[in-house]
Amino acid sequence: MAQMSGGAAVIQALRHEGVEVVFGLPGVQIMGIYDAFYDQPDIRLLTVRHEQTTAYMADGYARVTGKPGAALVVPGPGVQNASAALGTAYSASSPVLLLAGQVESYNIGSDRGALHEINDQLDTIRPVTKWCQRVNDVPSIPGAIHEAMRQMRTGRPRPTEVEIAPDILAATAEVVFPAATSPAAATVDWPQIQRAAALLREARKPLIWAGGGAVLAEASRELVALAEALGAPVATTAEGKGVFPEKHRLALGVGYYGHGTSSWAAPQADVVLAVGTRLTTQALGLNAVRVPQRLIHLDIDPTVIGKNYPADIRLVTDARAGLQALLEEVRRQDTPATRWSDAELHDMGRLQEDWLQANAPNQSAMWRSMQRVLPEDTVLVSGVTNMGYWAHFAYRAQQPRTYITSSYFATLGFSFPVALGAKVAAPDRPVVSITGDGGFMYALPELATAVHYNIGVVVVVFVDYALGASKNDQRTRFQGREIGTSLHNPSFAEVARVFGAQGVTTDPEHLDRALQEALASGKPTVIEVPVPTWAPPFQIQPRTH
Ligand SMILES: Cc1ncc(C[n+]2csc(CCOP(=O)(O)OP(=O)(O)O)c2C)c(N)n1
Ligand SMILES: [Mg+2]
């Protein structure tokens, strides 16, 4: 029990919860929290240039570490500016705590036009959070922050928000901090596991489809072991990329919009085990998983199971616990010899190579050359840009938490600021942001943040002077009636240098060398690569099976 201000209670509560860094942007209502950072050495405070970046960096931090990231913003415009980033984290099931200010308590709900006032702030944030709460007195602060963290550490992790009025931050009271709790061990439904294991054992051609939930549950080892025990090839969503090493003989890679080995292999399977994925059509393409295939659907969120495809067996549990239990059951009895032959797997892989060569030869060549200079622990933030979509297929990720996407939010502009947060979390690993000229501009001023805090992210900007995906849409779907999709840009390399970062321009042939040099320097670097506007995979007709 200790006497302290609300602002100090926030910081102490964050300390108790193991928070190491907060990404913030100050303003009058949250100065009580800013001030409390002054006296404590344990939590870093990084101030950024736009509130979107607070939540994006917190998200990048969370994706790399698996621990909740924390963002701090003023009410009203601060919360609204952070909202698209929070929505991105929500779509990716990423744990981000948004600490938000409020107007003075006596003004809340008054619609008087107080500074930064917004009506029903909690309601504005509810659609992009799993849980949110206003704190109305100092003693309630630790409990609210603890609950926000508990929500993110149990079940499906999604953003949370806690908001506190400035008078509460300034008030002083006795504060007690809840004891640290560890989440209860996951339980499994053994009869259901046994049914699922029997189905998998009896399958002629079992296939596993792993999504972001498998990453979040740290289920990589169990996934590899089960796939090997069953001889089942493993497809992933873009969110799950890396959870199964893509150099593994059973790796099918990413299925996206009906493209890729995974999408083509799935209809050949007779039993599909989906783990930690919604199985959206974005991942699978149209009807890639067809009834009467048997679908075993494993997810920690029961609302996901059977949402897009009817499930024969529902397994509601954590991906790691569920896969471990399935593995134990499968190992209890002999499984038939591999049902997918090496030749068959190899041929399916070749099919994708041929398809890439036909549809994206230049992008594939660039990925091949970049891959050569990127170590396996590189964190790649795959932006909403042509090279980002093609990376799903042409880049190989070997470890979980090394490939970051904006999931179904597909938020243009997320790549650079998320990469900054990832680099703060993993300062000793290469972190590369893949972005287009359209997307980079969203958070370009954060080059100042990168230089200020020496965050050595490498940004590769593919410059086609266009919102390329939209322009190509006009070329293909609107008979070439191009309007409103061309861009005027500065030289991004020059801009980077003006900010005090490194900036280089290179042609695609020398991108690998530029990337290698940038990574070796350890400095924030922008590599500008002129490219034409190419077709993205989702504007290409899927192969018919
Ligand atoms: C927040 C947001 N606004 C708009 C879009 C729609 N959109 C998707 S891709 C794209 C063009 C992106 O241009 P650029 O970053 O230059 O990448 P390119 O397609 O040229 O490779 C747009 C406008 C989006 N995904 N997200
Ligand atoms: Mg572009």
Side-chain angles (χ1 to χ4, degrees):
M1 180 102 88
Q3 183 88 15
M4 64 180 73
S5 71
V10 170
I11 300 300
Q12 292 309 320
L14 295 177
R15 266 190 64 224
H16 277 270
E17 299 296 333
V19 172
E20 303 165 316
V21 54
V22 173
F23 306 99
L25 207 160
V28 63
Q29 293 103 336
I30 58 170
M31 295 319 288
I33 301 177
Y34 253 72
D35 181 68
F37 278 103
Y38 193 84
D39 295 320
Q40 65 74 47
D42 298 332
I43 306 179
R44 281 181 80 193
L45 171 64
L46 270 59
T47 289
V48 301
R49 309 307 290 266
H50 184 292
E51 284 88 359
Q52 63 172 339
T53 308
T54 66
Y56 278 137
M57 285 186 78
D59 186 9
Y61 173 93
R63 303 276 194 115
V64 167
T65 62
K67 297 193 284 189
L72 172 60
V73 298
V74 297
V79 169
Q80 298 244 296
N81 279 343
S83 188
L86 225 57
T88 308
Y90 187 85
S91 77
S93 300
S94 182
V96 172
L97 168 64
L98 186 73
L99 291 163
Q102 249 296 0
V103 296
E104 297 276 344
S105 296
Y106 66 86
N107 268 332
I108 295 175
S110 72
D111 197 22
R112 288 194 181 103
L115 178 77
H116 299 336
E117 182 177 0
I118 182 168
N119 291 330
D120 307 322
Q121 179 164 286
L122 277 174
D123 288 346
T124 71
I125 209 75
R126 231 182 283 283
V128 288
T129 53
K130 177 180 180 184
W131 180 91
C132 56
Q133 189 168 84
R134 184 184 313 139
V135 180
N136 297 315
D137 55 57
V138 178
S140 304
I141 289 173
I145 289 177
H146 182 71
E147 180 58 17
M149 289 294 185
R150 194 191 67 78
Q151 289 280 348
M152 293 191 286
R153 289 180 177 136
T154 52
R156 184 179 186 177
R158 285 182 135 170
T160 57
E161 185 246 23
V162 172
E163 57 184 57
I164 315 175
D167 46 301
I168 309 295
L169 293 175
T172 301
E174 293 283 337
V175 178
V176 184
F177 294 92
T181 50
S182 29
T187 54
V188 295
D189 178 344
W190 280 104
Q192 284 289 79
I193 291 282
Q194 280 157 1
R195 283 184 57 213
L199 200 55
L200 285 166
R201 262 199 320 264
E202 287 152 19
R204 280 179 304 103
K205 292 201 163 182
L207 180 142
I208 302 176
W209 201 297
V215 177
L216 296 163
E218 313 290 351
S220 213
R221 237 188 16 209
E222 290 74 9
L223 180 62
V224 172
L226 182 64
E228 288 174 351
L230 290 169
V234 178
T236 73
T237 61
E239 294 91 329
K241 190 175 172 77
V243 73
F244 193 79
E246 292 191 301
K247 61 185 171 195
H248 196 289
R249 60 174 278 277
L250 291 169
L252 296 174
V254 168
Y256 183 62
Y257 281 94
H259 297 301
T261 313
S262 290
S263 305
W264 307 325
Q268 300 175 37
D270 56 346
V271 176
V272 172
L273 166 64
V275 48
T277 170
R278 287 172 296 264
L279 287 173
T280 56
T281 48
Q282 255 189 47
L284 290 177
L286 304 171
N287 301 324
V289 171
R290 293 197 207 115
V291 189
Q293 277 180 122
R294 313 302 300 271
L295 177 64
I296 304 165
H297 204 159
L298 193 168
D299 205 287
I300 199 159
D301 180 352
T303 69
V304 158
I305 297 178
K307 182 163 256 180
N308 293 308
Y309 294 91
D312 295 286
I313 301 183
R314 303 163 59 93
L315 301 173
V316 183
T317 187
D318 164 84
R320 186 167 61 177
L323 289 173
Q324 180 61 40
L326 282 171
L327 185 62
E328 282 171 31
E329 271 311 310
V330 164
R331 279 187 177 154
R332 238 183 261 285
Q333 290 177 30
D334 287 344
T335 42
T338 314
R339 291 138 291 194
W340 298 79
S341 71
D342 276 341
E344 204 171 6
L345 291 170
H346 180 263
D347 287 351
M348 285 195 296
R350 272 249 46 99
L351 221 52
Q352 173 161 309
E353 289 311 311
D354 295 346
W355 173 79
L356 280 172
Q357 206 46 42
N359 289 287
N362 301 299
Q363 298 95 314
S364 309
M366 269 197 279
W367 275 120
R368 264 197 307 279
S369 71
M370 282 199 277
Q371 184 101 54
R372 277 196 289 274
V373 299
L374 294 174
E376 286 189 359
D377 66 346
T378 299
V379 178
L380 191 80
V381 187
S382 178
V384 184
T385 183
N386 195 280
M387 278 292 283
Y389 321 128
W390 287 107
H392 298 344
F393 308 106
Y395 176 75
R396 306 272 160 193
Q398 310 300 351
Q399 299 174 15
R401 299 193 180 282
T402 59
Y403 190 81
I404 300 177
T405 75
S406 52
S407 193
Y408 66 83
F409 232 46
T411 332
L412 192 54
F414 95 110
S415 172
F416 173 45
V418 166
L420 288 174
K423 186 67 179 176
V424 168
D428 300 328
R429 290 165 55 187
V431 177
V432 178
S433 159
I434 301 298
T435 181
D437 43 357
F440 188 35
M441 281 291 207
Y442 276 57
L444 182 130
E446 303 296 356
L447 281 170
T449 308
V451 172
H452 185 178
Y453 297 110
N454 194 24
I455 306 170
V457 161
V458 177
V459 188
V460 186
V461 194
F462 294 94
V463 180
D464 65 346
Y465 293 91
L467 298 164
S470 308
K471 178 168 274 194
N472 195 67
D473 207 4
Q474 292 170 336
R475 287 181 183 170
T476 51
R477 232 165 25 109
F478 294 89
Q479 299 81 43
R481 290 154 58 87
E482 294 180 16
I483 181 155
T485 51
S486 292
L487 298 174
H488 167 79
N489 296 318
S491 152
F492 291 106
E494 215 171 302
V495 168
R497 291 194 293 270
V498 169
F499 272 94
Q502 299 185 128
V504 292
T505 305
T506 182
D507 52 33
E509 288 70 41
H510 300 101
L511 175 54
D512 50 353
R513 209 179 58 204
L515 191 54
Q516 199 163 29
E517 283 170 9
L519 290 171
S521 78
K523 301 212 175 90
T525 306
V526 174
I527 302 173
E528 184 176 25
V529 192
V531 292
T533 294
W534 287 309
F538 46 79
Q539 289 166 7
I540 291 174
Q541 276 298 89
R543 280 174 78 250
T544 42
H545 310 293

